[in-house]
Amino acid sequence: MYISENELLLKWQIRKRTCRLTSYLRRINGLQVVSMIVCSLMIGFILGYDQSTSKKEPELNITHKLMSTKVGLIRFGPQKTALELLGLVRKTKQISMQSLVEEYGHFASLLTDNANLDKLFLMSKESKARFHRRIIQKILQKQLEPHKDVTFTWVTAGDVRAGGFGNDPQNSYTSVLHETTRHAFQAVGLEFIAQNRAIRSAPSGPILALCMKTIYGSNIDILNWDFSLTDNSLDYQTALWAARATIHPTRPLLMMLDTSEKSRWKKMFEVDGKLGVAMLDTLGIRRFVSKQLPDSTRITHPEQLPPALQYFQCDGSIEGNTSKSTICRKNKFLPNENCELKKYQSEWNFGWKDHRLKGRMFGLFLIQLLHDALMELDTVAREFSYLSIESQQQSLLKHYEKLDEQDMFVIDNAASSSDVLGLHAQGLSDLIVPLLQREAMCWLPETMIVGAENSKSLNTRMLIFNSNLRSDQNK
């Protein structure tokens, strides 16, 4: 039988003490012997009781942990509370802040100021709630299925400006947005994806609006409209684009990069009761830059400004487009030997600093939405505090899915506006508008890619599918 070193040491000590006790007993009388025996029995009883309770102690601890798990005090597994996730997101803000300080110096705090973001982004309370809801649902899906990849996808749809033509791809605002946001979403288990699907000379409608699923993909969480150059004053194209987004399979949240000076943003907000809609107001950006960021023509040493602000504003004009001084225009694009990029480095295309600012603002706005969504999740979860964390999350996910169903009911039963047809509405609205509520079947040529040269490549064949109007039924 194997005897450990501790047991051998214990036996040796007992034997040594027994010898000492025997030697001592030879020198004492019988009464002393009896009293010592009684004392030893009491000590043995106390030691035996202590050993018996120590053997049961781990069992009691395990039982306590299991009971605590039921009330959510101690958890095993991947589930985390909203506050725990919020703490992880706040840590990632430090990473974003480091990049902002490198680019904007002490002016970085102005970009992260929530008061400034609230002025730049226009959205209703209802739309903000829908943005929060989409984010919360994604978080809950990941918490309930931790081994499943859950993505949050942003798609930029737009023209030459949206594509960042004239700049390296990594300097487009879509790429900057991804860089700014991905760490925060990764902290809650989501993979943030930002795709640039801009096409150089294409307007938002009718082809792109009718073929959204084919061109932009079937899995979109936020779809960004940026056709300010090609749509010009054709507001009905914006109305059609927004209306078609309501029948996309994932019912994406809509973002718009435009100026509130134009009337078309009102067309976009017509779907506010159906989808979440927000706009980054370029008029607000101009006011923010003019009032709070340095002007390179009004300071002595503009070369000492942080890199993203050097020669960004001249005479109150972003990139110096209307400035008498040419210094901002000369520094609009980064030096690049790529001839393909240089041919797009024109006065109407935006430079890398403009894209950098917009991308950072988009990213910070999404991080703030994520932060607020987690705060909302924590508040709502308290109503289910009697449940385990997993049961809480399942109940909450069902709650938000029911809200989605209500939105879908409104979309499916809402009357369509003839505004989507513009000048073509006369005498055709009764026929065409119902068709536009159906999914279009699109075939696209190989030239239909990001950065397609011009709209001539958009000779897309389309078939409006209507279950009540099929060609084989008319034969």
Side-chain angles (χ1 to χ4, degrees):
M1 182 176 65
Y2 173 76
I3 300 177
S4 66
E5 292 183 3
N6 292 335
E7 290 176 328
L8 288 172
L9 180 61
L10 180 61
K11 286 186 176 183
W12 179 81
Q13 291 175 344
I14 292 173
R15 186 177 297 175
K16 183 177 179 180
R17 290 175 182 175
T18 302
C19 293
R20 289 179 179 176
L21 179 62
T22 303
S23 177
Y24 175 72
L25 288 174
R26 290 173 183 171
R27 301 193 298 270
I28 62 176
N29 57 35
L31 183 61
Q32 290 174 322
V33 172
V34 173
S35 62
M36 291 183 64
I37 291 173
V38 173
C39 290
S40 65
L41 289 174
M42 292 180 66
I43 292 171
F45 175 77
I46 294 171
L47 291 173
Y49 177 78
D50 179 67
Q51 290 178 357
S52 65
T53 55
S54 65
K55 290 179 181 178
K56 292 181 180 180
E57 188 175 0
E59 193 173 317
L60 292 173
N61 285 341
I62 292 173
T63 305
H64 174 68
K65 288 180 180 178
L66 290 174
M67 292 175 65
S68 299
T69 302
K70 291 180 181 180
V71 297
L73 296 177
I74 301 176
R75 295 173 305 284
F76 298 98
Q79 284 83 11
K80 290 182 174 61
T81 65
L83 290 181
E84 289 172 332
L85 293 173
L86 187 60
L88 297 175
V89 170
R90 284 174 175 169
K91 289 181 180 179
T92 67
K93 285 186 175 182
Q94 298 175 0
I95 300 175
S96 301
M97 197 63 191
Q98 289 175 359
S99 299
L100 287 171
V101 170
E102 290 174 3
E103 297 168 352
Y104 294 96
H106 68 274
F107 295 97
S109 60
L110 297 174
L111 274 65
T112 58
D113 188 345
N114 290 338
N116 285 329
L117 290 175
D118 289 341
K119 293 176 183 177
L120 294 173
F121 287 89
L122 308 180
M123 64 190 310
S124 67
K125 291 182 179 179
E126 291 77 13
S127 282
K128 181 175 285 189
R130 289 186 176 91
F131 273 80
H132 290 170
R133 187 200 310 171
R134 178 66 64 98
I135 295 172
I136 290 172
Q137 285 176 297
K138 294 281 185 173
I139 293 172
L140 293 175
Q141 290 169 12
K142 181 62 178 180
Q143 288 289 297
L144 291 170
E145 299 182 84
H147 302 296
K148 181 180 178 181
D149 293 333
V150 181
T151 60
F152 195 92
T153 303
W154 166 294
V155 175
T156 294
D159 50 38
V160 62
R161 287 177 172 174
F165 283 76
N167 302 280
D168 285 326
Q170 66 268 21
N171 286 324
S172 70
Y173 69 72
T174 305
S175 296
V176 177
L177 155 70
H178 177 263
E179 178 196 341
T180 308
T181 311
R182 64 188 180 91
H183 295 293
F185 277 77
Q186 188 177 9
V188 298
L190 304 180
E191 180 187 3
F192 186 83
I193 298 173
Q195 300 176 341
N196 192 343
R197 297 292 179 89
I199 301 173
R200 179 172 170 256
S201 300
S204 66
I207 295 174
L208 299 187
L210 293 173
C211 298
M212 276 187 175
K213 180 181 175 181
T214 305
I215 297 170
Y216 304 131
S218 58
N219 183 22
I220 310 173
D221 292 298
I222 297 180
L223 184 58
N224 178 47
W225 181 102
D226 187 3
F227 294 91
S228 58
L229 193 63
T230 52
D231 272 19
N232 200 3
S233 59
L234 302 177
D235 292 359
Y236 75 90
Q237 293 188 151
T238 306
L240 174 62
W241 195 88
R244 293 291 296 176
T246 63
I247 67 168
H248 187 276
T250 56
R251 303 296 199 275
L253 304 164
L254 299 183
M255 184 69 72
M256 190 177 194
L257 180 57
D258 200 14
T259 172
S260 57
E261 297 171 300
K262 299 287 185 178
S263 59
R264 57 175 167 252
W265 75 275
K266 296 179 182 178
K267 299 294 182 183
M268 182 71 73
F269 274 74
E270 286 181 358
V271 299
D272 184 36
K274 304 172 184 177
L275 302 177
V277 185
M279 181 174 75
L280 174 53
D281 186 9
T282 54
L283 175 61
I285 293 177
R286 293 199 301 271
R287 289 172 177 169
F288 169 75
V289 172
S290 175
K291 293 181 180 180
Q292 302 196 49
L293 298 184
D295 190 315
S296 294
T297 57
R298 296 171 184 171
I299 60 177
T300 308
H301 297 287
E303 69 279 359
Q304 296 179 2
L305 288 171
L309 295 176
Q310 287 180 20
Y311 310 113
F312 176 52
Q313 180 179 197
C314 288
D315 294 323
S317 172
I318 294 178
E319 295 184 330
N321 289 331
T322 61
S323 171
K324 296 179 180 179
S325 173
T326 61
I327 189 66
C328 280
R329 290 194 292 274
K330 288 180 178 179
N331 289 275
K332 186 175 181 178
F333 299 96
L334 289 172
N336 197 305
E337 299 301 324
N338 189 329
C339 295
E340 187 66 22
L341 291 179
K342 283 189 174 181
K343 73 177 184 179
Y344 294 112
Q345 293 180 352
S346 60
E347 63 180 72
W348 57 83
N349 286 337
F350 299 128
W352 75 271
K353 283 168 279 194
D354 185 278
H355 277 271
R356 177 73 45 173
L357 182 62
K358 291 172 180 174
R360 291 300 188 198
M361 287 177 170
F362 273 132
L364 293 170
F365 178 67
L366 290 183
I367 292 174
Q368 187 59 42
L369 286 174
L370 174 60
H371 178 279
D372 294 345
L374 287 169
M375 293 292 289
E376 177 184 324
L377 180 58
D378 175 67
T379 301
V380 179
R382 293 178 187 275
E383 300 177 10
F384 301 91
S385 59
Y386 57 91
L387 298 174
S388 67
I389 295 297
E390 184 174 358
S391 297
Q392 282 182 26
Q393 293 169 346
Q394 290 173 345
S395 299
L396 288 170
L397 186 58
K398 290 179 181 178
H399 166 72
Y400 287 108
E401 286 175 347
K402 286 183 179 179
L403 295 178
D404 279 349
E405 292 174 1
Q406 293 174 10
D407 282 350
M408 291 179 66
F409 178 82
V410 172
I411 291 171
D412 293 338
N413 292 277
S416 298
S417 172
S418 59
D419 289 348
V420 298
L421 300 177
L423 298 175
H424 309 288
Q426 297 180 357
L428 296 175
S429 59
D430 292 341
L431 174 65
I432 297 180
V433 170
L435 291 177
L436 296 180
Q437 294 177 298
R438 304 289 178 175
E439 185 176 350
M441 299 175 62
C442 303
W443 172 84
L444 301 175
E446 293 182 358
T447 52
M448 189 61 169
I449 57 174
V450 175
E453 277 300 305
N454 50 54
S455 57
K456 292 181 180 179
S457 64
L458 304 184
N459 292 325
T460 306
R461 298 178 183 178
M462 294 178 296
L463 172 65
I464 304 298
F465 178 79
N466 189 316
S467 59
N468 298 321
L469 295 172
R470 295 185 60 178
S471 58
D472 57 350
Q473 294 178 346
N474 296 328
K475 291 182 180 179

